[in-house]
Amino acid sequence: MSFEMFEKLEAKVQQAIDTITLLQMEIEELKEQNSTLKQEALQVAGNHDALTRENQQLKEEQQQWQERLRTLLGKMDEV
């Protein structure tokens, strides 16, 4: 192989190594983003669950107040 061919081959190998290195860095960055997004998704799910429980509790309280009001109005009608 001539020296010129060897230089071309060396340049292509170096280019491949550079590309692989950049892709590995990009993969690491994407892994970090994925981890962050997973944590955010877990927080959102937790917040959703908490809001769902709070909503259910408020609905139950509303029903209790409505029942008390109906009872009061019923007693007023009897008078």
Side-chain angles (χ1 to χ4, degrees):
M1 232 194 296
S2 71
F3 185 71
E4 199 174 288
M5 293 284 288
F6 180 72
E7 283 182 338
K8 286 182 180 179
L9 179 60
E10 185 180 21
K12 286 186 179 188
V13 168
Q14 187 59 49
Q15 184 180 13
I17 290 171
D18 292 345
T19 301
I20 289 169
T21 302
L22 287 173
L23 290 173
Q24 286 175 334
M25 289 170 44
E26 187 176 340
I27 287 170
E28 285 304 314
E29 184 179 319
L30 290 172
K31 284 180 179 179
E32 288 175 14
Q33 287 178 354
N34 188 33
S35 176
T36 301
L37 289 173
K38 282 182 181 179
Q39 289 175 353
E40 288 176 7
L42 288 174
Q43 279 183 327
V44 167
N47 290 344
H48 178 267
D49 291 343
L51 288 172
T52 301
R53 285 191 301 274
E54 182 181 1
N55 186 39
Q56 182 61 35
Q57 181 182 357
L58 290 171
K59 284 181 181 181
E60 290 171 4
E61 287 179 23
Q62 180 186 17
Q63 288 176 346
Q64 289 172 356
W65 280 105
Q66 285 177 341
E67 185 60 36
R68 289 178 183 171
L69 184 58
R70 282 189 194 106
T71 303
L72 257 172
L73 291 173
K75 287 181 180 179
M76 289 176 68
D77 282 343
E78 291 175 5
V79 173

